Amino acid sequence: MIATGTPASVRDGREALPTPFEADKVTVPFRVAAGRQLVEALKPLTSSSNALVAVNTLRIAGEVATTNSMALLIDGLKDPRPPVRMGAAYALTRLFAQARRSAPAISARDTASALKALETFIAAERDSRIIDTAISAMVLAAKAPGGAAAPDRRARAIVEKARGKGAEADTLTITSRAVREMRDVLIGSDGKAPPGTARAAAEVAGQLIEAIRAQLTTADKEALITAAGSAETTLTIASTTLAGPDIAAMQLALANKVKAADQDGLDKQAERVLAVLKSEPFNFK
């Protein structure tokens, strides 16, 4: 049905083929055995010249949720066509969702491979919508076998993406998400985050503050206010984790400066933050 490439046949195939794998009580032996046969049939379709066929084939592979089907999705992330890469990223969210709802047919090693592939993918991808979908896959991976490291790796992947954004239009969006992710990782660690994670959080918070001061008069004010609050909170938690300066005592009030459109005040506070980040325990250059 899928291989014919007509919208109706593709839709029918996408809805019918995964049905046996969607029941809550699907056993691992059944998922592995049936999935092996289905994946062999799906594999050539993932590289179809018809993007509609490739995308829906990847979605089916995500519902199968086995080691073999995961390999198809990781390969799909490398496709030159944006819709297919989006399809592969979305299918990984479905794969990890399936692994959460029934006995998982993927191993901790599989999860680690997927996380590594997603990190590499996020670093190279330029479409913010596809990046968001890949990040969502990493969120769901946290509940998969071997997924305990997923939150930290997700945060680091976004930090690396933020580092490489330069002057691109979505710098604020990417960096804001990086700060939120790092903040959540720090909060979830209950003050016991590794020093490298805390330093990365402080670094990206500083980057966000720089992005805010650069876009104070051009970006959406509400988004800037929210971003300023997140940056200050994240920097405070990171410094506390590292037994560094008391950021709260500095009374930065960054969100208030943004709300008042106080460029001079924001610049002065940003310079104070920069001085902190250049000193112990951060020592950024």
Side-chain angles (χ1 to χ4, degrees):
M1 291 184 286
I2 291 179
T4 64
T6 64
S9 65
V10 169
R11 182 191 64 245
D12 292 344
R14 187 188 70 210
E15 293 176 354
L17 289 175
T19 300
F21 301 93
E22 293 175 347
D24 291 334
K25 296 182 180 180
V26 174
T27 65
V28 172
F30 171 83
R31 188 176 289 277
V32 171
R36 184 182 299 116
Q37 297 180 44
L38 183 54
V39 166
E40 285 301 312
L42 295 176
K43 187 173 183 179
L45 299 179
T46 60
S47 57
S48 170
S49 59
N50 185 327
L52 179 64
V53 171
V55 167
N56 283 279
T57 301
L58 290 168
R59 287 186 61 177
I60 294 169
E63 301 297 336
V64 174
T66 62
T67 300
N68 291 341
S69 71
M70 179 184 283
L72 294 184
L73 306 186
I74 291 174
D75 284 344
L77 294 175
K78 304 170 187 174
D79 196 284
R81 297 166 292 180
V84 178
R85 296 198 303 277
M86 172 66 90
Y90 176 75
L92 279 166
T93 70
R94 293 300 308 149
L95 183 148
F96 288 123
Q98 287 286 20
R100 292 175 64 176
R101 65 182 291 194
S102 61
I106 57 173
S107 66
R109 179 178 297 181
D110 294 329
T111 301
S113 295
L115 289 173
K116 182 177 180 179
L118 285 164
E119 285 181 84
T120 301
F121 176 72
I122 289 170
E125 181 57 54
R126 299 180 67 85
D127 188 314
S128 59
R129 295 170 302 171
I130 302 176
I131 291 170
D132 272 347
T133 303
I135 291 169
S136 295
M138 296 186 83
V139 170
L140 290 168
K143 298 296 184 180
D152 186 59
R153 294 186 69 169
R154 180 178 78 247
R156 287 178 175 274
I158 302 173
V159 168
E160 289 300 319
K161 189 64 178 180
R163 284 173 177 156
K165 292 305 291 183
E168 293 180 32
D170 60 349
T171 300
L172 186 66
T173 300
I174 294 295
T175 312
S176 293
R177 177 141 194 184
V179 167
R180 294 196 304 272
E181 293 284 344
M182 293 304 287
R183 178 197 62 199
D184 291 348
V185 168
L186 292 178
I187 292 173
S189 69
D190 196 25
K192 299 177 183 178
T197 299
R199 291 184 79 253
E203 178 185 3
V204 77
Q207 290 175 338
L208 180 54
I209 292 169
E210 286 297 304
I212 292 169
R213 70 190 290 202
Q215 300 184 46
L216 183 60
T217 60
T218 58
D220 177 75
K221 178 172 282 191
E222 290 303 318
L224 289 174
I225 292 171
T226 300
S230 294
E232 189 168 341
T233 299
T234 302
L235 181 60
T236 300
I237 299 172
S239 191
T240 300
T241 300
L242 294 169
D246 185 351
I247 303 299
M250 295 174 65
Q251 298 183 332
L252 297 173
L254 298 178
N256 289 340
K257 299 292 188 293
V258 172
K259 187 174 183 179
D262 182 0
Q263 185 75 66
D264 289 341
L266 182 60
D267 287 342
K268 289 177 182 178
Q269 298 295 54
E271 291 301 322
R272 293 177 68 198
V273 169
L274 183 61
V276 167
L277 294 178
K278 288 182 176 180
S279 64
E280 292 285 347
F282 304 107
N283 295 319
F284 294 124
K285 295 182 180 180

